[in-house]
Amino acid sequence: MQTVLVQQRNFFNAGHTISYADRKHALKRLSTGLKQHENEILDALYQDLGKSTHEAYMSELGLTLAEIRHALKHLKGWMRPKRRRTPLANFPATQRIYAAPYGVVLIIAPWNYPLLLSLAPLVGALAAGNCAVIKPSELAPATAEVLAHLIREAFPEEYVAVVNGAVEVSKALLDEPFDYIFYTGNGTVGQYVMERAAAHLTPVTLELGGKSPVVVTQSANLALAARRIVFGKYLNCGQTCIAPDYVLVEKQVHAEFVHHVTEAITKMYGTAPLKNPSYGHIINSRHFERLCRLLLPEKIVHGGEVNAQRLQIAPTVMNGVDAQDAVMQEEIFGPILPILEVNNLDEAYRFIQSHPHPLALYLFTQKRTDEKRFLEELQFGGGCVNDVISHIVPSNLPFGGVGASGIGAYHGASSFQTFSHPKSIVRRKQWWDPPVRYLPYKNWKTRLLRRML
Ligand code: NAD
């Protein structure tokens, strides 16, 4: 581990990652590797999480390739130094901001989108001219192995390396003096990562989770809302950081909304979802058992079937849930959708405000006034109006949390900025040297200074 770090630092210091050509080449190699290993990747995602080919491409491989394409298209522009107007105090001069790579960055990834969440940050790190060490999640071992193989083929270890292993490996990596740490996972480990980073004053991005609410108002198109919520909730069996965690629905439309949700589930997953080959499974028995403990049989209005052997839980809806129920005490991260009734939007907003800032928030409404309140009064990472999870798709939107749901953002230009230090440079002209700042200070100089600052 230490050897890799020393080698990467030497490689970086030798300037092998800096030029536009180097970065472009690196991104292309990554893209080629992904295409060459497409079948192994899809197999691995099926092994780890039971993801169907369609889902694995849509939510992992396709998004990663799109992120690379976007970076390749915009890289030159991102790298170009940005000119800034010179204030009178610095006259005569030109001013520019240069995006400087940090050096050697560490990317720690989780298991739920094991390919995307290892490689999307890597795209930003490479575009910004860094070397990188990736630590995939040990809970998705098949994907971790494919990643190691793919990266080894595409890059020398002194440029990009995959270090596989469990928590101890992750901890050992965090003891090393990386120049930047990009962590995706739960908040408790996020705090630990930040503590370890503090020892070396290493800057961090923390992509965390939390309970992402959905608010369904009485003006919403209920059938459409239900279909979209069902898609976003049960994708990857609910093991999605921005999955709708719970729904707050206005009482006037509560019953009708629940009906549409159950109908949408049956339409998408059939009457025997555990036999549906497109429906995956829970990552491991610990999470499976945790999720089973959240099920309240008397509140289940749809689903609830489980298969312990295959770690499967059917798409489940719990109605009449209240804030004290276990399912409302932690991020669910599984295929259980609690629905809570609220008297009005005020109640929904107060409920959301009284909880930690969520990673995502979704509002279903046809009223602009509801939208305005939602956008202006509530704090959350990002979200959608009349949809769920689609704000993660475009590379030209920054993605990240706020407060308990994270620090910093990435994707596209935002990734490039995350992995770059903005180096401000004033290029002073030599044809005139204004005397105002120099001693001896005189009244006329003070008067002039006061006009300039
Ligand atoms: P995980 O258990 O795979 O952990 C993530 C990484 O941290 C792994 O590589 C693991 O080895 C490492 N790790 C675990 N414990 C550690 C420790 N004590 N010290 C050092 N490293 C350690 O994944 P997880 O945390 O279960 O992931 C799920 C969480 O991640 C959810 O809360 C989810 O919302 C969040 N998440 C957020 C995003 C996002 O983009 N914001 C994306 C996916 C998941």
Side-chain angles (χ1 to χ4, degrees), residues 107-113 117 135-140 165-172 174 182-189 192-193 196 206-210 239-242 283 286-287 331 333 359 392 399-401 405-406 410-411:
I107 296 166
I108 302 181
W111 52 266
N112 60 333
Y113 289 86
L117 299 177
K135 157 66 184 77
S137 176
E138 68 281 12
L139 301 186
V167 174
E168 292 320 310
V169 170
S170 194
K171 285 185 167 171
L174 287 168
F182 189 102
Y183 166 80
T184 308
N186 70 73
T188 311
V189 175
Y192 174 76
V193 168
R196 301 304 307 141
L206 301 179
E207 294 283 340
L208 311 177
Q239 302 168 111
T240 303
C241 55
I242 49 168
I283 187 72
R286 184 170 68 81
H287 280 285
E331 179 181 1
F333 225 54
L359 179 58
I392 201 173
F399 177 82
S405 54
Y410 76 129
H411 287 182

Side-chain angles (χ1 to χ4, degrees), residues 197-260:
H200 300 290
L201 289 178
T202 302
V204 294
T205 292
L206 301 179
E207 294 283 340
L208 311 177
K211 289 179 89 61
S212 297
V214 183
V215 178
V216 177
T217 69
Q218 46 184 313
S219 74
N221 176 337
L222 296 179
L224 187 66
R227 188 187 320 136
R228 292 180 176 176
I229 293 167
V230 164
F231 161 73
K233 175 72 191 187
Y234 302 107
L235 179 77
N236 198 21
C237 298
Q239 302 168 111
T240 303
C241 55
I242 49 168
D245 188 273
Y246 62 95
V247 179
L248 299 173
V249 56
E250 279 194 295
K251 67 175 178 201
Q252 293 86 343
V253 294
H254 181 173
E256 198 184 338
F257 173 70
V258 173
H259 166 76
H260 283 297

Side-chain angles (χ1 to χ4, degrees), residues 116-180:
L116 177 72
L117 299 177
S118 300
L119 298 186
L122 178 68
V123 173
L126 295 175
N130 297 281
C131 295
V133 172
I134 306 170
K135 157 66 184 77
S137 176
E138 68 281 12
L139 301 186
T143 313
E145 203 171 305
V146 174
L147 273 168
H149 180 65
L150 185 157
I151 294 293
R152 209 178 306 119
E153 247 181 44
F155 298 96
E157 210 171 46
E158 54 265 36
Y159 198 167
V160 185
V162 170
V163 176
N164 271 323
V167 174
E168 292 320 310
V169 170
S170 194
K171 285 185 167 171
L173 281 166
L174 287 168
D175 284 338
E176 299 302 322
F178 282 94
D179 300 308
Y180 200 93

